[in-house]
Amino acid sequence: MTRTYKVIGKEEYGVELERSGDLVRLRTHTPGWPFPSECTLPRAALVWICGDPEPAELVEAATA
């Protein structure tokens, strides 16, 4: 499954690599910076942009 997220409050966006509970590991990209990086953020710090929809239980947990 592929999901793309925008990091709240930043220009970064990223593709989900894996998820562990409330944490999402992303390969992030910043506009104007040529090198991707990886980071792990809580789901609450992310906004789903596109890709596979999140299962309902993940959406409920992130907004709770």
Side-chain angles (χ1 to χ4, degrees):
M1 295 186 149
T2 301
R3 295 182 187 101
T4 302
Y5 296 96
K6 166 90 174 64
V7 180
I8 295 174
K10 297 188 177 184
E11 293 184 16
E12 292 177 304
Y13 62 93
V15 175
E16 178 180 327
L17 298 175
E18 68 179 317
R19 182 183 296 256
S20 176
D22 184 41
L23 298 176
V24 180
R25 189 166 71 107
L26 301 170
R27 174 168 292 121
T28 59
H29 303 273
T30 302
W33 182 251
F35 307 106
S37 61
E38 292 185 11
C39 67
T40 302
L41 297 169
R43 173 59 186 91
L46 306 169
V47 176
W48 177 83
I49 297 176
C50 64
D52 297 332
E54 293 185 304
E57 63 271 8
L58 295 177
V59 173
E60 291 171 8
T63 58

